[in-house]
Amino acid sequence: MPRMRFKSIFVAVASSCTVLIAQDQPIRIHAAALFDGTGKVVRNATIVVRGSKIAAVETNGSSPATYDLGRASIVPGMIDVHAHLGWHFGKDGRFPERPGSSAEEILYSAENAYVTLMAGFTTIQSPGQPNDVELRDAIARGILPGPRVLTSIRQLNERSGTPDEIREKVRQLKKDGADVVKIFASASIRDGGKQTMTDEQLQAACGEAKAQGLRTMVHAHSPESIKASVNAGCLQIEHGVFADDEVLKLMADKGVYFDPNIGVVLQNYLRNKAKFLGVGNYNEAGFAYMEKGLAINAAMIKKAVATPNLKLVLGTDAVAGAHGHNADEIVERVKQGNQKPMDAIVSATSLSARSLNLDKTIGTLAPGFEADIVGLDGDPSTDITAVTRVRFVMKGGKIYKNEGKPEVRSLKSDGM
Ligand SMILES: [Zn+2]
């Protein structure tokens, strides 16, 4: 076959060319500690990367490192299962009433993707806007820097029609390339969080998604909306500000993933109140709800962390102003929720990968996995704030960030 002949010519040329041979050499990254994402720690670790994949994890290796991260710790590329990459403040610095031009919108998304990657997040799930598809595919082509993107493209809510119409909409999402179906089962926290979709609508959405091989993520604040979603066979619950012991246990019993967002989103709204106030339900009453939400969230996350077998994944609900601060969610899990630092790391890596059905490829530092590798200044098992000090980012074997700070020395430059 002509194609195979061409390939063997290429191999012959490549083997006579030192530049191409150099690219075949493994990259060896050394650090004081390696957290593999499943709960294991390797001290004095070297991780060996060949192409886009991890080839080996060694301890006390004798070969010289390509990158010596000194006393830094290595963790798998972090995962945010709920981030709105398209949200950005407008030209006047305020949250825009209406979307900007399509060029502005996609460029804002690209900016958010970049800062998210620089913060050590190599995969995110977007609960959806239509231009996520182009963004996802552009990043996947390997030129535009950003995390892997999974998207719902659109959302379903109580206005999405009859159960039959909802089933048709789910099939259309599948055709349009959605990775997940996003469903609004309850009102926003700014409107009290009561159930909005009927049980029949929820059953249609989550039932059809399952039939189409699509995962489901459901915005639900009140206990009854969470219960209805779990009973409808939905796979993951978002927010859950008002989740009580009964529904926390129900999620654990049914193996439903729970994605509480307690460390980033409300803090960001309150910090940027002046930029949101006056748009839609961002009014004084809405902000009063959000202010109260901080304490309610703090109580809820303590109970959630203490619920046996509850699968807590890591999502921020990052909106305008919050991108790049994603790791604050991990810190607050530990501070407010008393989650063990190691459990918080596992949540943000291998467990979140499992919730995305990507646990065979990302979220773990082991041979055969994608080389998504993040270097942190410090040891997150003793100081969880290390997850906010990202000094080195590799995604799919390619280095996007390598700060040669004294505590994270790089022996060779990026281009070697
Ligand atoms: Zn959201």
Side-chain angles (χ1 to χ4, degrees):
M1 281 164 68
R3 195 170 171 177
M4 285 188 63
R5 230 181 293 135
F6 187 78
K7 210 172 178 182
S8 51
I9 292 166
F10 176 77
V11 170
V13 171
S15 59
S16 67
C17 173
T18 49
V19 174
L20 286 173
I21 285 172
Q23 287 176 348
D24 282 333
Q25 292 295 312
I27 296 174
R28 304 174 62 84
I29 305 160
H30 180 266
L34 177 149
F35 295 78
D36 80 339
T38 72
K40 268 185 268 161
V41 192
V42 179
R43 301 281 166 192
N44 193 13
T46 301
I47 186 160
V48 185
V49 175
R50 204 180 276 276
S52 66
K53 298 262 194 313
I54 297 167
V57 173
E58 300 167 355
T59 184
N60 301 315
S62 51
S63 307
T66 324
Y67 298 93
D68 188 344
L69 305 188
R71 55 185 189 82
S73 301
I74 290 174
V75 295
M78 294 180 276
I79 299 169
D80 186 339
V81 301
H82 190 137
H84 296 275
L85 279 187
W87 286 44
H88 198 284
F89 296 122
K91 272 182 278 200
D92 60 357
R94 275 178 53 78
F95 188 62
E97 201 101 35
R98 277 173 294 282
S101 70
S102 53
E104 271 173 349
E105 293 292 298
I106 196 72
L107 284 168
Y108 283 150
S109 294
E111 283 178 27
N112 287 335
Y114 178 78
V115 300
T116 303
L117 181 65
M118 291 302 111
F121 284 75
T122 51
T123 303
I124 68 106
Q125 178 161 257
S126 166
Q129 56 178 51
N131 67 13
D132 281 346
V133 173
E134 286 82 359
L135 180 73
R136 174 189 70 188
D137 297 350
I139 292 171
R141 286 196 296 275
I143 305 298
L144 188 69
R148 282 183 193 77
V149 175
L150 295 99
T151 177
S152 71
I153 309 175
R154 296 181 290 274
Q155 298 90 19
L156 299 174
N157 58 35
E158 73 278 13
R159 297 180 301 279
S160 296
T162 63
D164 277 346
E165 287 165 340
I166 286 175
R167 284 192 193 91
E168 179 51 37
K169 287 193 163 113
V170 171
R171 289 192 288 271
Q172 191 59 46
L173 283 168
K174 171 85 176 180
K175 283 188 201 130
D176 293 344
D179 302 291
V180 61
V181 178
K182 169 73 190 294
I183 298 157
F184 277 88
S186 88
S188 152
I189 184 180
R190 288 178 295 286
D191 298 315
K194 292 262 177 291
Q195 183 173 342
T196 47
M197 284 175 87
T198 65
D199 292 0
E200 292 71 27
Q201 285 178 311
L202 285 169
Q203 285 154 10
C206 292
E208 187 63 29
K210 192 174 177 200
Q212 297 297 323
L214 286 170
R215 293 175 298 106
T216 40
M217 59 192 297
V218 186
H219 165 117
H221 281 301
S222 64
E224 86 273 12
S225 63
I226 295 173
K227 205 188 285 182
S229 305
V230 172
N231 289 334
C234 307
L235 299 183
Q236 181 166 310
I237 302 296
E238 310 299 309
H239 319 305
V241 171
F242 304 114
D244 58 16
D245 290 332
E246 187 196 348
V247 295
L248 290 169
K249 186 172 181 307
L250 178 69
M251 286 188 274
D253 289 348
K254 299 271 174 147
V256 168
Y257 293 101
F258 182 38
D259 170 29
N261 319 118
I262 57 98
V264 172
V265 63
L266 294 183
Q267 290 85 345
N268 178 74
Y269 276 133
L270 295 166
R271 201 165 47 233
N272 293 295
K273 181 175 175 182
K275 297 177 180 178
F276 286 98
L277 197 63
V279 180
N281 62 4
Y282 297 105
N283 48 36
E284 288 294 351
F287 272 93
Y289 260 118
M290 293 199 282
E291 199 134 12
K292 276 191 231 145
L294 288 176
I296 301 170
N297 260 340
M300 179 273 288
I301 191 64
K302 279 189 189 70
K303 286 191 287 184
V305 167
T307 303
N309 303 318
L310 180 58
K311 295 192 283 188
L312 281 174
V313 290
L314 199 287
T316 60
D317 199 11
V319 295
H323 301 286
H325 300 283
N326 313 61
D328 290 352
E329 188 75 31
I330 304 172
V331 175
E332 294 303 318
R333 277 274 187 87
V334 173
K335 284 190 177 165
Q336 296 182 42
N338 302 326
Q339 191 169 33
K340 291 192 188 102
M342 185 62 93
D343 291 347
I345 295 165
V346 170
S347 168
T349 55
S350 66
L351 187 62
S352 286
R354 206 191 311 160
S355 77
L356 304 175
N357 277 345
L358 292 176
D359 52 317
K360 298 283 187 287
T361 52
I362 61 168
T364 299
L365 297 180
F369 281 79
E370 283 292 303
D372 290 2
I373 299 168
V374 167
L376 306 174
D377 172 15
D379 182 336
S381 68
T382 52
D383 172 14
I384 193 62
T385 66
V387 295
T388 65
R389 296 189 297 275
V390 171
R391 304 299 189 227
F392 180 91
V393 177
M394 172 183 270
K395 186 189 127 207
K398 190 169 167 183
I399 294 166
Y400 289 91
K401 182 178 194 177
N402 181 22
E403 288 181 0
K405 293 276 168 60
E407 62 275 20
V408 188
R409 285 175 300 128
S410 101
L411 296 183
K412 290 188 180 175
S413 75
D414 216 341
M416 289 291 285

Coordinates of all heavy atoms in Angstrom, one line a residue, residues 75-80 83-85 108-125 135-136 138-149 316 318 322-327 362 370-376 387-403 414:
V75 N 1.3 16.3 41.1 CA 0.0 15.7 41.2 C -0.5 15.5 39.7 O 0.0 16.2 38.8 CB -1.0 16.6 42.0 CG1 -0.6 16.7 43.4 CG2 -1.2 18.0 41.4
P76 N -1.6 14.7 39.5 CA -2.2 14.6 38.2 C -2.8 16.0 37.8 O -3.2 16.7 38.7 CB -3.2 13.6 38.4 CG -2.9 12.8 39.6 CD -2.2 13.8 40.5
G77 N -2.9 16.3 36.6 CA -3.6 17.5 36.1 C -5.0 17.5 36.8 O -5.7 16.4 36.8
M78 N -5.3 18.6 37.4 CA -6.6 18.6 38.2 C -7.8 18.7 37.2 O -7.7 19.1 36.1 CB -6.5 19.8 39.2 CG -5.4 19.5 40.2 SD -5.3 20.9 41.5 CE -4.2 22.0 40.6
I79 N -8.9 18.4 37.8 CA -10.2 18.3 37.0 C -11.3 19.1 37.6 O -11.5 19.0 38.8 CB -10.6 16.8 36.8 CG1 -9.5 16.0 36.1 CG2 -12.0 16.7 36.1 CD1 -9.8 14.5 36.1
D80 N -11.9 20.0 36.9 CA -13.1 20.7 37.4 C -14.3 20.3 36.6 O -14.4 20.5 35.4 CB -12.8 22.2 37.2 CG -13.9 23.1 37.8 OD1 -15.0 22.6 38.0 OD2 -13.7 24.3 38.0
A83 N -17.4 24.1 35.2 CA -16.8 25.4 35.0 C -17.4 26.0 33.7 O -17.5 25.4 32.7 CB -15.3 25.3 34.8
H84 N -17.9 27.3 33.8 CA -18.5 28.0 32.7 C -17.4 28.8 32.0 O -17.2 30.0 32.3 CB -19.6 28.9 33.2 CG -20.7 28.1 33.8 ND1 -21.8 27.6 33.1 CD2 -21.0 27.8 35.1 CE1 -22.6 27.0 33.9 NE2 -22.1 27.1 35.1
L85 N -16.7 28.2 31.0 CA -15.6 28.8 30.4 C -16.0 30.1 29.6 O -15.2 31.0 29.3 CB -14.9 27.9 29.4 CG -13.9 26.9 30.0 CD1 -13.2 26.1 28.9 CD2 -12.9 27.6 30.9
Y108 N -13.1 35.4 24.8 CA -13.3 35.3 26.2 C -13.1 33.8 26.7 O -12.4 33.6 27.7 CB -14.6 35.9 26.7 CG -14.7 37.4 26.7 CD1 -15.9 38.0 26.5 CD2 -13.6 38.2 26.9 CE1 -16.0 39.4 26.5 CE2 -13.6 39.6 26.9 CZ -14.9 40.2 26.7 OH -15.0 41.5 26.7
S109 N -13.8 32.9 26.0 CA -13.7 31.5 26.4 C -12.3 31.0 26.3 O -11.8 30.3 27.1 CB -14.6 30.7 25.5 OG -15.9 31.0 25.6
A110 N -11.6 31.5 25.2 CA -10.2 31.0 25.0 C -9.3 31.6 26.2 O -8.4 30.9 26.7 CB -9.7 31.5 23.7
E111 N -9.5 32.9 26.6 CA -8.8 33.4 27.7 C -9.0 32.6 29.0 O -8.1 32.3 29.7 CB -9.3 34.9 28.0 CG -8.8 35.9 27.0 CD -9.3 37.3 27.4 OE1 -9.6 37.6 28.6 OE2 -9.4 38.1 26.5
N112 N -10.3 32.3 29.2 CA -10.6 31.5 30.4 C -10.0 30.1 30.4 O -9.5 29.6 31.4 CB -12.2 31.4 30.6 CG -12.8 32.7 31.0 OD1 -12.2 33.6 31.6 ND2 -14.1 32.9 30.7
A113 N -10.0 29.6 29.2 CA -9.4 28.2 29.0 C -7.9 28.3 29.4 O -7.3 27.5 30.1 CB -9.5 27.7 27.6
Y114 N -7.2 29.4 28.9 CA -5.8 29.6 29.2 C -5.5 29.7 30.7 O -4.7 29.0 31.3 CB -5.3 30.8 28.4 CG -3.8 31.0 28.7 CD1 -2.8 30.3 28.1 CD2 -3.4 32.0 29.6 CE1 -1.5 30.5 28.3 CE2 -2.1 32.2 29.8 CZ -1.1 31.5 29.2 OH 0.2 31.7 29.4
V115 N -6.3 30.6 31.4 CA -6.0 30.8 32.8 C -6.3 29.6 33.6 O -5.7 29.3 34.6 CB -6.6 32.1 33.4 CG1 -6.2 33.3 32.7 CG2 -8.1 32.0 33.4
T116 N -7.3 28.8 33.2 CA -7.7 27.6 33.9 C -6.5 26.5 33.7 O -6.1 25.9 34.7 CB -9.0 27.0 33.3 OG1 -10.0 28.0 33.4 CG2 -9.4 25.7 34.0
L117 N -6.0 26.4 32.6 CA -4.8 25.5 32.4 C -3.6 25.9 33.2 O -3.0 25.1 33.8 CB -4.5 25.4 30.9 CG -3.3 24.5 30.5 CD1 -3.7 23.1 30.8 CD2 -2.9 24.7 29.0
M118 N -3.4 27.2 33.2 CA -2.2 27.7 34.0 C -2.4 27.5 35.5 O -1.4 27.4 36.3 CB -2.0 29.2 33.8 CG -1.5 29.6 32.4 SD 0.0 28.8 31.9 CE -0.5 27.7 30.7
A119 N -3.7 27.3 35.9 CA -4.0 27.0 37.3 C -3.9 25.5 37.6 O -4.3 25.1 38.7 CB -5.3 27.6 37.7
G120 N -3.4 24.7 36.6 CA -3.2 23.3 36.9 C -4.4 22.4 36.6 O -4.4 21.2 36.9
F121 N -5.4 23.0 35.9 CA -6.6 22.2 35.6 C -6.5 21.8 34.1 O -6.5 22.7 33.2 CB -7.9 23.0 35.9 CG -8.2 23.0 37.4 CD1 -7.5 23.8 38.2 CD2 -9.1 22.1 37.9 CE1 -7.7 23.7 39.6 CE2 -9.4 22.1 39.3 CZ -8.7 22.9 40.1
T122 N -6.3 20.5 33.9 CA -6.0 20.1 32.5 C -7.3 19.5 31.9 O -7.3 19.1 30.7 CB -4.9 19.0 32.5 OG1 -5.2 18.0 33.5 CG2 -3.6 19.7 32.8
T123 N -8.4 19.4 32.6 CA -9.7 18.9 32.1 C -10.8 19.7 32.8 O -10.8 19.8 34.0 CB -9.9 17.4 32.3 OG1 -8.8 16.7 31.7 CG2 -11.2 16.9 31.7
I124 N -11.7 20.2 32.0 CA -12.9 20.8 32.6 C -14.2 20.3 31.9 O -14.1 19.9 30.8 CB -12.9 22.3 32.6 CG1 -13.1 22.9 31.2 CG2 -11.7 22.9 33.3 CD1 -14.4 23.4 31.0
Q125 N -15.3 20.3 32.6 CA -16.6 20.0 32.0 C -17.4 21.3 32.1 O -17.5 21.9 33.2 CB -17.2 18.9 32.8 CG -18.6 18.5 32.3 CD -19.1 17.2 32.8 OE1 -19.0 16.2 32.1 NE2 -19.4 17.1 34.1
L135 N -14.6 25.5 20.7 CA -13.5 25.7 21.6 C -12.8 24.3 22.0 O -11.6 24.1 21.9 CB -14.0 26.4 22.9 CG -12.9 26.6 24.0 CD1 -11.9 27.7 23.6 CD2 -13.5 26.9 25.3
R136 N -13.7 23.4 22.3 CA -13.3 22.0 22.7 C -12.4 21.4 21.5 O -11.3 20.9 21.8 CB -14.5 21.1 22.9 CG -14.2 19.7 23.1 CD -15.5 18.8 23.1 NE -16.1 18.7 21.7 CZ -17.3 18.2 21.5 NH1 -18.0 17.7 22.4 NH2 -17.7 18.2 20.2
A138 N -10.9 23.0 19.0 CA -9.7 23.8 18.7 C -8.6 23.4 19.8 O -7.4 23.2 19.4 CB -10.0 25.3 18.8
I139 N -9.0 23.3 21.0 CA -8.0 22.9 22.0 C -7.5 21.5 21.7 O -6.3 21.2 21.8 CB -8.6 23.0 23.5 CG1 -8.8 24.5 23.8 CG2 -7.6 22.3 24.5 CD1 -9.6 24.7 25.1
A140 N -8.4 20.6 21.3 CA -8.0 19.2 21.1 C -7.1 19.1 19.9 O -6.3 18.1 19.8 CB -9.3 18.4 20.8
R141 N -7.1 20.1 19.0 CA -6.2 20.0 17.8 C -4.7 20.3 18.3 O -3.8 20.1 17.6 CB -6.6 21.1 16.8 CG -7.8 20.6 15.9 CD -7.9 21.4 14.6 NE -8.2 22.8 14.9 CZ -9.4 23.3 15.1 NH1 -10.5 22.6 15.1 NH2 -9.5 24.6 15.3
G142 N -4.6 20.8 19.5 CA -3.2 20.9 20.1 C -2.5 22.2 20.0 O -1.4 22.3 20.3
I143 N -3.2 23.2 19.4 CA -2.5 24.5 19.2 C -2.9 25.5 20.3 O -2.1 26.1 21.0 CB -2.8 25.1 17.8 CG1 -2.4 24.1 16.7 CG2 -2.1 26.4 17.6 CD1 -1.0 23.7 16.7
L144 N -4.2 25.7 20.5 CA -4.8 26.6 21.4 C -4.6 26.0 22.8 O -5.0 24.9 23.1 CB -6.2 26.8 21.2 CG -6.9 28.0 22.0 CD1 -6.4 29.3 21.5 CD2 -8.5 27.9 21.8
P145 N -3.9 26.8 23.7 CA -3.7 26.2 25.1 C -4.9 26.2 25.9 O -5.5 27.3 26.1 CB -2.5 27.1 25.7 CG -2.6 28.3 24.9 CD -3.2 28.1 23.6
G146 N -5.3 25.1 26.5 CA -6.4 25.1 27.4 C -6.6 23.7 27.9 O -6.0 22.7 27.4
P147 N -7.5 23.5 28.9 CA -7.8 22.2 29.4 C -8.6 21.4 28.3 O -9.2 22.0 27.5 CB -8.6 22.4 30.6 CG -9.2 23.8 30.4 CD -8.3 24.5 29.5
R148 N -8.6 20.1 28.5 CA -9.6 19.3 27.7 C -11.0 19.8 28.1 O -11.2 20.0 29.3 CB -9.5 17.8 28.1 CG -8.4 17.0 27.6 CD -8.5 15.6 28.0 NE -7.2 15.1 27.6 CZ -6.1 15.3 28.3 NH1 -6.2 15.9 29.5 NH2 -4.9 14.9 27.9
V149 N -11.9 19.9 27.2 CA -13.2 20.4 27.4 C -14.2 19.3 27.1 O -14.2 18.7 26.1 CB -13.5 21.7 26.6 CG1 -14.9 22.1 26.8 CG2 -12.5 22.8 27.0
T316 N -16.4 23.6 40.5 CA -16.4 25.0 41.1 C -17.6 25.8 40.8 O -18.0 26.7 41.5 CB -15.2 25.8 40.6 OG1 -15.2 25.9 39.2 CG2 -13.9 25.1 41.0
A318 N -17.4 27.8 38.3 CA -16.7 29.0 38.0 C -17.4 29.8 36.9 O -17.7 29.3 35.9 CB -15.2 28.7 37.5
A322 N -14.0 34.1 38.2 CA -13.5 33.0 39.0 C -12.5 32.1 38.3 O -11.8 31.2 39.0 CB -14.7 32.1 39.4
H323 N -12.4 32.2 37.0 CA -11.5 31.3 36.3 C -10.0 31.5 36.7 O -9.6 32.6 36.9 CB -11.6 31.5 34.8 CG -13.0 31.2 34.3 ND1 -13.6 30.0 34.2 CD2 -14.0 32.1 34.0 CE1 -14.8 30.0 33.9 NE2 -15.2 31.3 33.7
G324 N -9.3 30.4 36.9 CA -8.0 30.4 37.4 C -7.9 30.3 38.9 O -6.8 30.1 39.5
H325 N -9.1 30.4 39.6 CA -9.1 30.3 41.0 C -9.7 28.9 41.4 O -10.1 28.7 42.6 CB -9.9 31.4 41.7 CG -9.4 32.8 41.4 ND1 -8.3 33.3 42.1 CD2 -9.8 33.7 40.5 CE1 -8.0 34.5 41.6 NE2 -8.9 34.8 40.7
N326 N -9.8 28.0 40.4 CA -10.5 26.8 40.6 C -10.0 26.0 41.8 O -10.8 25.3 42.5 CB -10.4 25.9 39.4 CG -10.6 26.6 38.1 OD1 -10.0 27.6 37.8 ND2 -11.7 26.2 37.3
A327 N -8.7 26.0 42.1 CA -8.1 25.2 43.2 C -8.6 25.7 44.6 O -8.5 24.9 45.5 CB -6.6 25.2 43.1
I362 N -7.1 9.6 32.3 CA -6.6 10.8 33.0 C -6.9 10.7 34.5 O -7.6 9.8 34.9 CB -7.2 12.1 32.5 CG1 -8.7 12.1 32.7 CG2 -6.8 12.4 31.1 CD1 -9.4 13.5 32.4
E370 N -2.4 9.5 30.2 CA -2.0 10.7 29.6 C -1.0 11.4 30.6 O -1.3 11.5 31.8 CB -3.2 11.6 29.4 CG -4.1 11.2 28.2 CD -3.4 11.5 26.9 OE1 -3.0 12.6 26.6 OE2 -3.3 10.5 26.1
A371 N 0.0 12.1 30.0 CA 0.9 12.8 30.8 C 0.4 14.2 31.1 O 0.8 15.2 30.5 CB 2.3 12.9 30.1
D372 N -0.6 14.2 32.0 CA -1.1 15.5 32.6 C -0.5 15.6 34.0 O -0.9 14.9 34.9 CB -2.7 15.4 32.7 CG -3.4 15.4 31.4 OD1 -2.7 15.4 30.3 OD2 -4.6 15.4 31.4
I373 N 0.5 16.5 34.1 CA 1.3 16.5 35.3 C 1.4 17.9 35.8 O 1.8 18.8 35.0 CB 2.7 15.9 35.0 CG1 2.6 14.5 34.5 CG2 3.6 16.0 36.2 CD1 3.8 13.9 33.9
V374 N 1.2 18.1 37.0 CA 1.2 19.5 37.6 C 2.2 19.5 38.8 O 2.1 18.6 39.6 CB -0.2 19.9 38.0 CG1 -0.2 21.2 38.9 CG2 -1.1 20.1 36.8
G375 N 3.1 20.5 38.8 CA 4.0 20.7 39.9 C 3.5 21.8 40.8 O 3.2 22.9 40.4
L376 N 3.5 21.5 42.1 CA 3.0 22.4 43.1 C 4.1 22.8 44.0 O 5.0 22.0 44.4 CB 1.9 21.7 44.0 CG 0.7 21.1 43.3 CD1 -0.2 20.4 44.3 CD2 -0.1 22.1 42.5
V387 N -2.0 23.5 46.4 CA -2.7 23.3 45.2 C -3.0 24.7 44.4 O -3.3 24.7 43.2 CB -4.0 22.5 45.3 CG1 -3.8 21.1 45.8 CG2 -5.0 23.3 46.2
T388 N -2.9 25.8 45.1 CA -3.1 27.1 44.5 C -1.8 27.6 44.0 O -1.8 28.7 43.4 CB -3.7 28.1 45.5 OG1 -2.8 28.3 46.5 CG2 -5.0 27.6 46.0
R389 N -0.6 27.0 44.3 CA 0.7 27.5 43.9 C 1.2 26.5 42.8 O 2.1 25.7 43.0 CB 1.6 27.6 45.1 CG 1.2 28.6 46.1 CD 2.2 28.9 47.2 NE 2.5 27.7 48.0 CZ 1.8 27.3 49.0 NH1 0.8 28.0 49.5 NH2 2.2 26.2 49.7
V390 N 0.7 26.7 41.6 CA 1.0 25.8 40.5 C 2.2 26.4 39.7 O 2.2 27.5 39.2 CB -0.2 25.7 39.5 CG1 0.2 25.0 38.2 CG2 -1.3 24.9 40.2
R391 N 3.3 25.6 39.7 CA 4.5 26.1 39.0 C 4.9 25.4 37.7 O 5.7 25.9 37.0 CB 5.7 25.9 40.0 CG 5.6 26.5 41.4 CD 5.4 28.0 41.3 NE 5.4 28.7 42.6 CZ 4.6 29.6 43.0 NH1 3.6 30.0 42.2 NH2 4.7 30.1 44.2
F392 N 4.3 24.3 37.5 CA 4.6 23.5 36.3 C 3.3 22.8 35.8 O 2.6 22.3 36.6 CB 5.6 22.4 36.7 CG 6.1 21.5 35.6 CD1 7.2 21.8 34.9 CD2 5.4 20.3 35.4 CE1 7.6 20.9 33.8 CE2 5.8 19.5 34.3 CZ 6.9 19.8 33.6
V393 N 3.1 22.9 34.5 CA 1.9 22.3 33.9 C 2.3 21.6 32.6 O 2.8 22.2 31.7 CB 0.8 23.3 33.6 CG1 -0.4 22.6 32.9 CG2 0.3 24.0 34.9
M394 N 2.0 20.3 32.6 CA 2.2 19.5 31.4 C 0.8 18.9 31.1 O 0.1 18.4 32.0 CB 3.2 18.4 31.6 CG 3.3 17.4 30.4 SD 4.5 16.1 30.7 CE 6.0 16.8 30.1
K395 N 0.4 19.0 29.8 CA -0.8 18.3 29.4 C -0.5 17.5 28.2 O 0.0 18.0 27.2 CB -1.9 19.3 29.1 CG -3.3 18.7 28.8 CD -4.3 19.8 28.3 CE -4.9 19.3 27.0 NZ -5.3 20.4 26.2
G396 N -0.9 16.2 28.3 CA -0.6 15.3 27.1 C 0.8 15.3 26.7 O 1.1 15.2 25.5
G397 N 1.8 15.4 27.6 CA 3.2 15.4 27.3 C 3.8 16.7 26.9 O 5.0 16.8 26.7
K398 N 3.0 17.7 26.8 CA 3.5 19.0 26.3 C 3.5 20.0 27.5 O 2.5 20.1 28.3 CB 2.5 19.6 25.3 CG 3.0 20.8 24.5 CD 2.1 21.0 23.3 CE 2.4 22.4 22.7 NZ 1.5 22.7 21.6
I399 N 4.6 20.7 27.7 CA 4.8 21.6 28.8 C 4.2 23.0 28.4 O 4.5 23.6 27.4 CB 6.2 21.8 29.2 CG1 6.8 20.4 29.7 CG2 6.4 22.9 30.3 CD1 8.2 20.4 29.8
Y400 N 3.3 23.5 29.3 CA 2.6 24.8 29.1 C 3.1 25.8 30.1 O 2.9 27.0 29.9 CB 1.1 24.6 29.2 CG 0.5 23.9 28.0 CD1 0.3 22.5 28.1 CD2 0.1 24.6 26.9 CE1 -0.2 21.8 27.0 CE2 -0.4 23.9 25.8 CZ -0.6 22.5 25.8 OH -1.1 21.9 24.8
K401 N 3.7 25.3 31.2 CA 4.1 26.3 32.3 C 5.3 25.7 33.0 O 5.2 24.5 33.3 CB 3.0 26.5 33.2 CG 3.3 27.5 34.3 CD 2.0 27.7 35.2 CE 2.1 28.9 36.1 NZ 0.9 29.1 36.9
N402 N 6.3 26.4 33.2 CA 7.5 25.9 33.9 C 8.2 27.2 34.5 O 9.0 27.8 33.9 CB 8.4 25.2 33.0 CG 9.6 24.6 33.8 OD1 9.6 24.5 35.0 ND2 10.7 24.4 33.1
E403 N 7.7 27.5 35.7 CA 8.3 28.7 36.3 C 9.6 28.3 37.1 O 9.5 27.6 38.0 CB 7.3 29.3 37.4 CG 6.1 29.9 36.7 CD 5.2 30.5 37.8 OE1 5.4 30.4 39.0 OE2 4.1 31.1 37.4
D414 N 12.5 24.9 28.4 CA 11.4 24.2 27.7 C 11.7 23.6 26.4 O 11.2 22.6 25.9 CB 10.3 25.3 27.6 CG 8.9 24.7 27.8 OD1 8.8 23.5 27.7 OD2 8.0 25.5 28.0

